[in-house]
Amino acid sequence: MTNDHPHLTADAAALLSEPQAGRIRAIRSRRWVLYPRAKQALDRLEALLDHPRGPRMPSVAIYGDSGMGKTMIMQRFRDQHPPHLARRTGILMTPVLAMEMVSRPGERRFYGELLSLLGAPQAPRADIAQMEQATLRIMKAIGTQVLVIDEVHNILAGTYREQRIVLNMLRFISNRLQISLVCFGVNDAREAIGGDVQLARRFEQLTLNRWAANENFETLIASILRNTPLRRPTVLTPKSLRRILQITDGITANIFQMLGSLAIEAIESGTEHITDGAVEAWVPAFDTEAAFA
């Protein structure tokens, strides 16, 4: 089967048969676009699943400003390893368990969140020890190998004592179950994890820096455009690329929003590609500094 639109991926080209409203809906939806930096992060997370089980499992912390794509990477990793039914036991195995750090961390709230995520009934009067044992028993039974924690910087909302308790708890869970931890958070999360030296030493750190005017940024733009269902190829000048970077402040979410908005304009106007003039005239609907400071 020939590809009549070589400037697009197969999935994006297939959307061209949709009515205008369908293409616009697809552009507005949250969609995964693979680019080198995201692939590097995913490859490192994949390596955790292949690592032999042991008492001091390697872990990964991924830091970056809000809007840099941390949650999208987390969701992609989770979705690539969905729960599956073990034929022999009939247990729903869950190799990757993903959660969000509670807003005010503490042992009871953390274990309560995990038990809720695991679909386990909670006795109203259960003490922390009972909740801990129930959590460990279920996670071991379902074969959890990686515990993913988003918004890990929420640890800092607690007192110093509460922070220490939560960090000790994470280290204990990793040791007892011989599982890896993956933590996502804004740059302040370094301080949160660094509060426990023994735990921090296990973490390989990856930082999602804001985009700069270089080849990686050009690759990102090209990847987004190849996944955007426009009938004609978009070729932007270096001046337009600099303007995109300037307007979005190098924030991944802003870049997706800007190019998506321009693509919708191109569909509605009938031009079917993003022009340099459209980039020059585009006015952002977001306040970068207010949203992503």
Side-chain angles (χ1 to χ4, degrees):
M1 182 176 180
T2 60
N3 184 0
D4 296 330
H5 302 279
H7 64 287
L8 297 177
T9 64
D11 288 343
L15 289 169
L16 296 179
S17 61
E18 294 284 329
Q20 186 181 97
R23 284 196 289 155
I24 290 175
R25 189 179 304 111
I27 291 171
R28 285 176 174 160
S29 65
R30 292 175 66 89
R31 52 205 167 97
W32 172 256
V33 174
L34 184 63
Y35 50 92
R37 188 183 294 178
K39 185 178 185 303
Q40 177 191 12
L42 286 172
D43 287 347
R44 188 64 194 89
L45 299 187
E46 287 291 333
L48 295 179
L49 286 170
D50 294 332
H51 196 281
R53 302 296 98 186
R56 291 179 58 85
M57 293 297 294
S59 297
V60 173
I62 298 180
Y63 305 119
D65 290 329
S66 179
M68 286 306 300
K70 300 182 299 297
T71 300
M72 291 291 285
I73 292 172
M74 181 200 77
Q75 292 174 346
R76 181 68 174 180
F77 178 58
R78 179 198 61 196
D79 293 346
Q80 287 180 324
H81 301 283
H84 61 277
L85 197 65
R87 293 182 180 180
R88 186 174 62 84
T89 62
I91 295 175
L92 192 64
M93 305 303 288
T94 308
V96 175
L97 184 64
M99 66 175 293
E100 182 176 321
M101 179 61 71
V102 291
S103 58
R104 182 63 186 265
E107 287 179 287
R108 178 172 290 278
R109 290 196 63 188
F110 186 87
Y111 283 125
E113 181 71 16
L114 265 179
L115 287 170
S116 177
L117 186 64
L118 293 166
Q122 302 176 44
R125 297 184 179 180
D127 58 30
I128 292 176
Q130 292 171 321
M131 297 173 72
E132 175 185 274
Q133 291 306 309
T135 301
L136 295 175
R137 183 175 62 253
I138 296 172
M139 289 178 66
K140 183 176 182 180
I142 64 176
T144 299
Q145 295 174 265
V146 177
L147 175 61
V148 181
I149 306 171
D150 199 11
E151 307 288 344
V152 73
H153 48 268
N154 285 346
I155 292 176
L156 296 174
T159 64
Y160 176 76
R161 180 178 178 277
E162 289 170 334
Q163 292 176 37
R164 296 292 303 176
I165 290 174
V166 171
L167 293 172
N168 286 338
M169 178 182 60
L170 292 178
R171 180 155 46 86
F172 170 76
I173 292 174
S174 178
N175 288 344
R176 179 59 64 89
L177 297 177
Q178 297 187 356
I179 64 174
S180 295
L181 303 175
V182 174
C183 293
F184 291 85
V186 299
N187 290 316
D188 288 347
R190 300 176 192 273
E191 179 184 345
I193 294 176
D196 187 305
V197 176
Q198 294 184 53
L199 182 64
R201 286 174 180 167
R202 304 182 189 185
F203 279 91
E204 176 186 351
Q205 299 184 16
L206 299 178
T207 303
L208 301 178
N209 294 314
R210 297 193 185 199
W211 296 93
N214 53 33
E215 184 178 348
N216 288 333
F217 176 65
E218 294 176 12
T219 300
L220 172 68
I221 298 298
S223 297
I224 295 173
L225 293 174
R226 279 184 53 77
N227 285 272
T228 302
L230 294 175
R231 301 188 188 281
R232 299 174 58 193
T234 294
V235 181
L236 299 175
T237 63
K239 180 181 179 181
S240 290
L241 293 176
R242 288 194 298 271
R243 177 161 174 77
I244 292 172
L245 192 61
Q246 178 185 23
I247 290 176
T248 62
D249 207 22
I251 296 290
T252 305
N254 288 354
I255 295 169
F256 272 81
Q257 181 181 341
M258 180 177 180
L259 291 179
S261 176
L262 287 166
I264 291 171
E265 289 178 11
I267 291 174
E268 292 176 337
S269 68
T271 60
E272 289 293 341
H273 73 296
I274 299 172
T275 65
D276 292 316
V279 172
E280 182 64 29
W282 193 79
V283 178
F286 48 76
D287 184 343
T288 299
E289 289 307 316
F292 300 106

